[in-house]
Amino acid sequence: MTDRAGERPPSRIDAVAEAVALSGGVLLIAVATMVVVSVTLRSDLVGKAGVPGDFELVQMATAVAAFCFLPLCQLRRGNIFVDTFTLKLPQRWRDGIDALWDVVYGLAMALIAWRLGVGARSALASGENTMVLQLPSYMPIALCAVLAGFVSLAAFVSASRLLRQPR
Amino acid sequence: MSGASLAITGFVVMLALMALRLPIGLAMLVVGSAGYIQLNGLEPFLNYIRTTPYQIFANYTLSVIPLFVLMGAFAERSGLAGDLFKAASAFVGHRRGGLGMAMIGACTGFGAICGSSVATTATFARAALPQLRSYRYDPGFACGVTAVGGTLGILIPPSVILVVYAISTEQNIAKLFQAALIPGLMAATFYCITIWIMSRLDGTLAPAHERLPWRARWPLLIGVIPALTVAVIVVGGIYGGVFTPTEGASVGAFIMLLIGLFRRTLGLSEIKQAILQTAETSAMIFAILLGAEVFNAFLALTQVPTAAAEMIAASGWAPYTVLVGLLLFYIVLGGVMDELAMILLTLPVFFPIVTALDFGMPTDDIAIWFGILVLVVVGIGMTCPPIGLNVFVVASLARDVPVTRIYRGVLPFVAADVVRLAICVAFPALSLYLVRLLN
C-alpha cells in the first residue's frame, strides 16, 4: 500500500471528506447514545418502554454513516487490494493501474448514485413512510445518493492525483 | 454459457483482476454486476442496484461493525491497555518469559473490549512492546508476541470477524460470541505455554523482570476494573440476552467514551482521530460487503453454491476430509489475501457445502462450529507469512526490527495455533458447550 497520497498537502476535497466522515461518526455516536437511553428506559431500573422506533433510527443512521465514511477511505487509499503479484512493476505502472481502477470505482459509484437517486424519487412519489416513526423513506436514500456521488468524485480526484504525481 | 461455467469464468476473471491491484470489494462488485447482467439482463440489474446499496447498509445487524470499531478506537486511546499490562506484569513479570505472558494476558482482557485484531496489535505495540524490549527481550520474539497477542482482539469476543461471518451466513451473533469464548481462552493459554517453552529453550529470548513485593502488586489490580466492567457489561449482556449485539456495541462505545473523558485520555483531538479511524476501517469493510453482496447475488443466480454442496455431499468423501481440506485451503489463501475478503468471497460456496455434510449434529450447530474454525484460521492468517496483517502493523511501529525477524518470532505461535485448530476440529464441544449451556 502506498501512503504517498498522504504526503501531499491536503486540499479542499480532503477537508470536505474528513468533515463528512466526522459527521457520519457524530451521527453514529448520537445513535449509540439514543440506544443507550432506550436500553436504560427498558431495563428493570426504569421499567418503561424503550425509545419508539430505535430500530429504524439505527438502520437509517448506519446507511448514511456508511456512505459518509466511503469518500475518506477512498482518498486515504484505505481500500484493501492485493499487491503481492505487482511488487516488481515500476512505480509508474502501478500508479497507472491504480488510477485506472479509481476511474472504474468512480464510474461504479456514479451508477450507484444515479440508481439511488431514482430509488429516492420513486419513494418520494409513492409517499412511502417508515413503519413506526412514519418518517419519509426517501430522505435517507436521497442523502445516500448524494454521498455516493461524492464518493464517485473522490475516486476521480484520486485517479487524477496518481496521474499527475511529480516524479 | 451455462451457470456453472459462467460462475467459474467469473471467479477466474475476478481473481486475475485482484492480482492486478483492483481493490477486492470493487472486483467483486464489477464481476458480480457483469455476471448478473449476463444472466438476467440489464433492466433487472438496474432495478437490483436501485435498492441494494441502501438496503445492505440500512441493516440493523450491520451497525454492530462500526460501533464495535468505534469502541475499539476509543479503547485504543483510553490508556486501559497499559493498566492491564502493568497489572499482569506485576504478577508474572519476574518469571522467565513472564512479560510476554503478561502481554498475552493483557491482550486477552483487551480483546474483551475490542473486536479488532489490528487495533489490539497497534495498541499493545505502543503500550507494552517498548517495555518488553527495555528488558532485553529478543526484538523478533517481542514483536512476534505482540502480533500474536493482537489476534486475541478477534479471538476473544466481541469480534468483528464473527459479526461479518454472522451477517454473511445469517447466523446468530450472540451464539457465535458464546462459542468463541472457550477457544479464545485456549488460544491465550496456548500462547503462554509457547512462551514458556521458548524461554526455557533459549534463555536470552525473554529475560525476567525484577520481582515486585506483594504489597505493590495488589493496588495495580484496580487498573483492571474499568476494562473488566466494560467487558462484563457488553459481552455478558449479549450472552445473557439482556440486549442485542447492536445495543451491546452501542453501550460499549458509549461507556468507553465516558471512561476516556473521565480519565482525560480522550480529548477533542483524540475523539476526532478515533472517529476518522473508525470511518476508514468501517468503510473498508463496507466496500467489501457491498461487493460481496452483488457477487453473491450473481453466484446465487448461477445456482453453483447449491449444486456444489449437493455434489460434495453425494461424493462419498468423509465429512472431516472435506472440512480439513477447506480449512487448509483457507490457510493457503489467507497467505495471499486479506482474511475478511477471503471469508466473504468463499462463504457463499463453502458454507452450504459444510452445513450439508453429516457430522452427526444439527445444521445450526455445524454453522456455529464452522464459524469458530473459520475464526481460528483467520487468526492464523493475521500473523502467518507472507501476508500477516498484524505483523505489518507491528513492523510499522517498531521500525528497527526487520519483518523477517518478526516472522521468525511468530512461527512457534503459528505451530500452537495449528495444534489448537486440530483440537477444535476434533472436539466440536469446545465451541458448542457454552452455546448449549446458555440457551
Side-chain angles (χ1 to χ4, degrees):
Chain A
M1 274 166 236
T2 57
D3 5 345
R4 293 195 307 151
E7 284 168 21
R8 68 174 58 244
S11 68
R12 195 178 301 158
I13 188 163
D14 294 294
V16 175
E18 218 179 275
V20 169
L22 283 173
S23 344
V26 170
L27 179 67
L28 197 63
I29 295 175
V31 160
T33 312
M34 185 272 300
V35 170
V36 172
V37 170
S38 184
V39 171
T40 317
L41 284 177
R42 224 180 49 196
S43 71
D44 294 338
L45 291 173
V46 186
K48 289 191 183 150
V51 174
D54 56 349
F55 203 84
E56 285 174 3
L57 289 173
V58 168
Q59 288 181 327
M60 287 189 266
T62 309
V64 172
F67 278 101
C68 285
F69 293 164
L70 288 169
L72 180 82
C73 187
Q74 171 58 28
L75 287 173
R76 291 190 173 182
R77 308 213 69 81
N79 285 315
I80 299 242
F81 64 94
V82 179
D83 63 356
T84 324
F85 306 105
T86 44
L87 289 172
K88 296 259 164 67
L89 287 180
Q91 184 69 45
R92 276 187 67 137
W93 286 44
R94 281 186 271 167
D95 285 347
I97 295 172
D98 289 346
L100 173 66
W101 297 146
D102 282 350
V103 171
V104 172
Y105 188 45
L107 292 173
M109 270 298 161
L111 174 73
I112 287 175
W114 169 48
R115 295 317 294 171
L116 281 174
V118 172
R121 215 173 49 196
S122 71
L124 175 64
S126 64
E128 206 180 300
N129 287 329
T130 62
M131 295 280 280
V132 182
L133 295 172
Q134 296 296 316
L135 295 171
S137 322
Y138 79 90
M139 281 201 308
I141 306 179
L143 203 52
C144 289
V146 173
L147 289 165
F150 184 49
V151 182
S152 169
L153 178 68
F156 288 127
V157 168
S158 50
S160 81
R161 280 179 182 175
L162 283 170
L163 294 177
R164 283 184 302 153
Q165 206 139 228
R167 306 170 205 280
Chain B
M1 230 191 279
S2 75
S5 54
L6 196 63
I8 294 169
T9 316
F11 261 111
V12 171
V13 170
M14 184 177 59
L15 291 177
L17 289 172
M18 282 180 186
L20 287 170
R21 305 170 71 87
L22 182 61
I24 286 161
L26 185 56
M28 291 195 255
L29 181 71
V30 169
V31 175
S33 303
Y36 196 109
I37 294 170
Q38 176 73 25
L39 281 168
N40 263 15
L42 184 63
E43 199 65 24
F45 173 74
L46 287 177
N47 269 324
Y48 167 78
I49 208 82
R50 192 185 67 180
T51 46
T52 303
Y54 181 75
Q55 272 168 4
I56 183 159
F57 293 140
N59 172 342
Y60 183 75
T61 310
L62 192 75
S63 61
V64 177
I65 294 175
L67 287 168
F68 272 139
V69 173
L70 184 67
M71 178 181 167
F74 286 150
E76 193 176 334
R77 293 165 176 80
S78 64
L80 294 183
D83 291 352
L84 286 170
F85 178 67
K86 248 182 249 158
S89 56
F91 284 86
V92 293
H94 57 279
R95 296 169 191 280
R96 202 188 279 174
L99 284 178
M101 296 182 200
M103 165 93 87
I104 297 298
C107 285
T108 310
F110 196 78
I113 56 171
C114 179
S116 134
S117 74
V118 171
T120 307
T121 310
T123 308
F124 281 88
R126 292 195 190 97
L129 179 58
Q131 267 92 319
L132 263 65
R133 298 196 61 192
S134 73
Y135 281 95
R136 295 196 313 279
Y137 265 56
D138 174 80
F141 187 67
C143 290
V145 172
T146 314
V148 168
T151 61
L152 291 164
I154 51 165
L155 297 180
I156 303 280
S159 164
V160 170
I161 292 283
L162 276 184
V163 175
V164 170
Y165 178 87
I167 290 173
S168 74
T169 60
E170 294 173 352
Q171 292 301 309
N172 182 317
I173 296 179
K175 284 187 181 170
L176 282 162
F177 281 6
Q178 292 161 359
L181 187 64
I182 293 177
L185 294 176
M186 261 171 69
T189 315
F190 277 39
Y191 296 156
C192 285
I193 295 174
T194 311
I195 294 175
W196 188 81
I197 296 175
M198 294 301 292
S199 60
R200 286 294 168 294
L201 290 179
D202 179 352
T204 62
L205 217 52
H209 180 288
E210 65 271 22
R211 182 187 290 269
L212 268 183
W214 281 96
R215 251 177 313 124
R217 294 183 193 180
W218 297 116
L220 289 171
L221 279 185
I222 296 172
V224 176
I225 294 173
L228 204 65
T229 312
V230 179
V232 167
I233 294 176
V234 174
V235 180
I238 295 173
Y239 277 8
V242 181
F243 36 60
T244 65
T246 294
E247 289 165 348
S250 299
V251 170
F254 186 76
I255 303 181
M256 223 48 244
L257 176 62
L258 288 189
I259 290 178
L261 291 173
F262 181 74
R263 294 170 52 115
R264 293 167 190 271
T265 45
L266 283 180
L268 213 53
S269 100
E270 285 81 13
I271 294 177
K272 187 180 153 192
Q273 289 313 315
I275 291 179
L276 292 179
Q277 180 190 337
T278 304
E280 198 177 333
T281 308
S282 311
M284 170 210 104
I285 299 174
F286 287 157
I288 299 177
L289 278 170
L290 176 65
E293 171 68 29
V294 177
F295 189 73
N296 295 343
F298 154 61
L299 272 190
L301 287 176
T302 65
Q303 296 175 341
V304 162
T306 39
E310 279 165 14
M311 202 179 79
I312 292 192
S315 68
W317 287 333
Y320 276 96
T321 313
V322 178
L323 180 67
V324 171
L326 293 182
L327 293 173
L328 286 177
F329 177 77
Y330 270 145
I331 293 181
V332 173
L333 192 62
V336 289
M337 199 169 179
D338 174 70
E339 279 70 27
L340 187 81
M342 173 180 89
I343 61 173
L344 281 171
L345 192 63
T346 52
L347 278 178
V349 182
F350 285 8
F351 185 76
I353 291 179
V354 171
T355 46
L357 294 171
D358 180 17
F359 290 100
M361 57 173 122
T363 313
D364 286 350
D365 284 359
I366 301 178
I368 301 284
W369 175 47
F370 186 56
I372 301 308
L373 298 180
V374 168
L375 182 67
V376 177
V377 177
V378 166
I380 296 176
M382 292 275 181
T383 51
C384 201
I387 302 184
L389 198 51
N390 284 9
V391 171
F392 290 151
V393 173
V394 175
S396 71
L397 291 166
R399 289 189 176 270
D400 57 319
V401 188
V403 175
T404 45
R405 210 158 161 197
I406 305 180
Y407 276 130
R408 224 178 302 146
V410 158
L411 279 179
F413 299 97
V414 173
D417 270 335
V418 172
V419 172
R420 186 167 59 96
L421 178 63
I423 295 176
C424 287
V425 169
F427 302 100
L430 288 171
S431 309
L432 298 172
Y433 175 71
L434 260 190
V435 183
R436 290 194 185 124
L437 194 70
L438 291 169
N439 289 284

